[in-house]
């Protein structure tokens, strides 16, 4: 047996898992079809928001808080900038489920969240225009993760602890034996006691190799940078944000290192045919139109649209994650379907995945909400 654990897909989740295993002295092999961090998966575009008072549901809060601890640890250990404490404001109508979840998460977990009226938001950050009747929940301790730096830091640390990384090596075949696995690429074949599958948008293609079917749908989403008046929008003064409208949801980042404000639309992604390459930004009219019309109405002091990029979400039907053991094989673990909100958790999910393949193979945090059984008929 060559390795104790093989990780297929060394992106956001896989690279973190590789680090936590290698740190514990495990012989771990990470295999990726590209050279992470890269622009062919779901983690590029430099930044991701981390929120703690979780609008998508309170079952995520403990994971978000543990994730933050682990990001802070990574920041201490690495040379890279990992986390920017910009604060995050969640703006929406007071009766929206998302806003209600933020308020109840903040209350039940004693999080530092300030509730602000539309006028109070406009007064504090003159770069926003907020409609009457909307409110904002300002998470003081949340902020921005430098996503590509995070993956680079996990990669460097994993390798420093002895992990082996094969890049530009798409996995072509997986064979599961009773107490081991064999993973093949075009040129090589590897065996290990356990397998972690974290291939992101490549998951659906690999599922038949391990005899699994999951209701995943890849979606193309885009994001854009705008010309920015630094005195209004720089990251020392302006927060990251989510902005929920009745039928659309946007998110964005302050200007970091003078890059300009970055804005994306969270919903409204276009289903992808994974046999075709990702259509570049600008292929569809809505790529620029949606964010520009949002900016005109709600951040009217921004300048013109500078540039945009396309990226992929892997959606589950309920937009909750899948983190589970293979139903027929205890030594095979899969984490996928991060539905456009997974990055902030990648540190803690790496830790959870490492726990699921070693020792008593149990996660210290409750992952029952992420079971794949919820989709079985
Ligand atoms: C535009 C955009 C904005 C987002 N904003 C946020 C945000 O603000 N906050 C947040 O928390 N989350 C956000 N997300 C979501 C988050 O980035 C993803 O949920 C997360 O990156 C998914 O991680 P992953 O490990 O599943 O995928 P990835 O990081 O893409 O990793 C998967 C890896 O598997 C590899 N792979 C695929 N197939 C194979 C194969 N056959 N063999 C070997 N390797 C393979 C790929 O090359 C890749 O490196 C956003 C996503 C996008 C696209």
């Amino acid at each position: 047996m060559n390795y104790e654990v093989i990780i297929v897909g060394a992106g956001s989740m896989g690279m973190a898992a590789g680090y936590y295993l290698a740190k514990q002295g495990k012989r771990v092999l990470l295999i990726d079809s590209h050279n992470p961090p890269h622009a062919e998966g779901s983690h590029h575009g430099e930044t991701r928001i981390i929120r703690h008072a979780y609008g998508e549901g309170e079952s995520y809060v403990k994971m978000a808080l543990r994730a933050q601890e682990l990001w802070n640890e990574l920041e201490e250990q690495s040379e890279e900038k990992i986390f920017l404490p910009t604060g995050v404001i969640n703006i929406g109508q007071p009766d929206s489920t998302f806003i209600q979840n933020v308020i109840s998460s903040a209350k039940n977990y004693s999080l530092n969240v300030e509730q602000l009226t539309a006028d109070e938001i406009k007064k504090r950050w003159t770069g926003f225009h907020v409609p009457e009747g909307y409110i904002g929940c300002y998470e003081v301790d949340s902020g921005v993760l430098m996503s590509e730096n995070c993956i680079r830091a996990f990669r460097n640390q994993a390798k420093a602890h002895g992990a082996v990384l094969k890049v530009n090596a798409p996995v072509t075949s997986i064979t599961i034996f009773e107490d081991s696995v064999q993973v093949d690429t075009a040129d090589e074949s590897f065996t290990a006691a356990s397998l972690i599958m974290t291939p992101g948008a490549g998951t659906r293609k690999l599922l038949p190799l391990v005899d699994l079917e999951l209701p995943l749908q890849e979606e193309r989403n885009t994001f854009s940078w705008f010309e920015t008046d630094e005195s209004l929008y720089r990251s020392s003064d302006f927060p990251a944000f989510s902005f929920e409208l009745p039928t659309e949801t946007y998110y964005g980042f302050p200007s970091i290192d003078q890059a300009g404000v970055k804005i994306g639309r969270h919903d409204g992604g276009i289903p992808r045919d994974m046999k075709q390459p990702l259509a570049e930004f600008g292929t569809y009219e809505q790529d620029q139109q949606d964010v520009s019309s949002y900016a005109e109405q709600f951040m009217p002091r921004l300048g013109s649209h500078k540039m945009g990029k396309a990226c992929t979400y892997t959606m589950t039907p309920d937009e909750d994650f899948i983190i589970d053991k293979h139903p027929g094989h205890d030594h095979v673990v899969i984490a996928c379907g991060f539905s456009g909100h997974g990055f902030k958790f990648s540190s803690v999910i790496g830790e959870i995945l490492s726990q699921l393949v070693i020792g008593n193979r149990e996660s210290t945090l409750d992952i029952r909400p992420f079971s794949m059984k919820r989709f079985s008929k």
Side-chain angles (χ1 to χ4, degrees), residues 12-13 32-33 38 42-43 48-49 171 199 311 338 342-344:
S12 319
M13 311 296 161
D32 202 281
S33 47
H38 58 76
S42 302
H43 56 252
R48 294 291 184 268
I49 296 175
V171 165
C311 194
F338 290 101
F343 192 87
K344 63 184 77 57

Side-chain angles (χ1 to χ4, degrees), residues 7 88 266:
I7 299 174
V88 179
H266 177 61

Side-chain angles (χ1 to χ4, degrees), residues 22-236:
K23 194 179 162 197
Q24 293 174 76
K26 301 295 164 193
R27 291 193 316 281
V28 55
L29 169 69
L30 298 113
I31 308 176
D32 202 281
S33 47
H34 297 88
N35 190 4
H38 58 76
E40 309 299 326
S42 302
H43 56 252
H44 64 285
E46 291 167 21
T47 49
R48 294 291 184 268
I49 296 175
I50 177 163
R51 298 174 274 109
H52 304 151
Y54 217 58
E56 289 83 344
E58 264 185 68
S59 54
Y60 287 91
V61 178
K62 279 192 185 156
M63 279 202 333
L65 294 174
R66 178 64 183 150
Q68 183 71 55
E69 279 173 13
L70 294 173
W71 291 124
N72 296 347
E73 257 176 50
L74 184 66
E75 175 118 48
E76 273 167 31
Q77 287 158 14
S78 83
E79 317 260 280
E80 306 274 357
K81 185 73 208 150
I82 300 293
F83 173 67
L84 284 183
T86 58
V88 179
I89 184 158
N90 304 282
I91 298 174
Q93 291 179 311
D95 58 354
S96 94
T97 307
F98 188 93
I99 291 290
Q100 284 303 318
N101 280 338
V102 172
I103 293 170
S104 63
S105 300
K107 187 163 157 252
N108 295 337
Y109 289 88
S110 306
L111 303 176
N112 191 0
V113 175
E114 287 176 44
Q115 204 169 305
L116 303 169
T117 63
D119 279 344
E120 286 167 338
I121 300 168
K122 288 186 276 187
K123 210 172 280 169
R124 194 179 300 188
W125 297 288
T126 51
F128 278 129
H129 174 78
V130 182
E132 228 19 74
Y134 278 57
I135 63 166
C137 296
Y138 178 51
E139 298 188 45
V140 181
D141 300 324
S142 298
V144 175
L145 292 164
M146 307 305 293
S147 54
E148 295 169 46
N149 290 358
C150 293
I151 293 180
R152 203 174 297 113
F154 275 137
R155 175 179 174 154
N156 291 339
Q157 297 283 322
K159 286 181 86 171
H161 285 285
V164 176
L165 176 63
K166 300 270 172 194
V167 297
N168 303 315
V171 165
T172 51
S173 162
I174 298 174
T175 315
I176 306 178
F177 301 106
E178 205 174 310
D179 53 8
S180 65
V181 293
Q182 180 182 320
V183 176
D184 301 332
T185 64
D187 303 325
E188 289 177 281
S189 184
F190 307 95
T191 55
S194 299
L195 172 68
I196 294 176
M197 289 182 67
T198 43
T203 303
R204 206 149 55 97
K205 191 171 165 196
L206 293 185
L207 286 177
L209 302 182
V210 295
D211 217 8
L212 277 181
E213 218 177 294
L214 291 169
L216 300 173
Q217 174 64 61
E218 306 80 10
E219 273 186 5
R220 173 184 176 276
N221 289 68
T222 60
F223 50 93
S224 295
W225 285 266
F226 286 80
E227 299 288 351
T228 296
D229 174 350
E230 289 290 321
S231 70
L232 289 177
Y233 291 110
R234 63 181 161 234
S235 56
S236 53

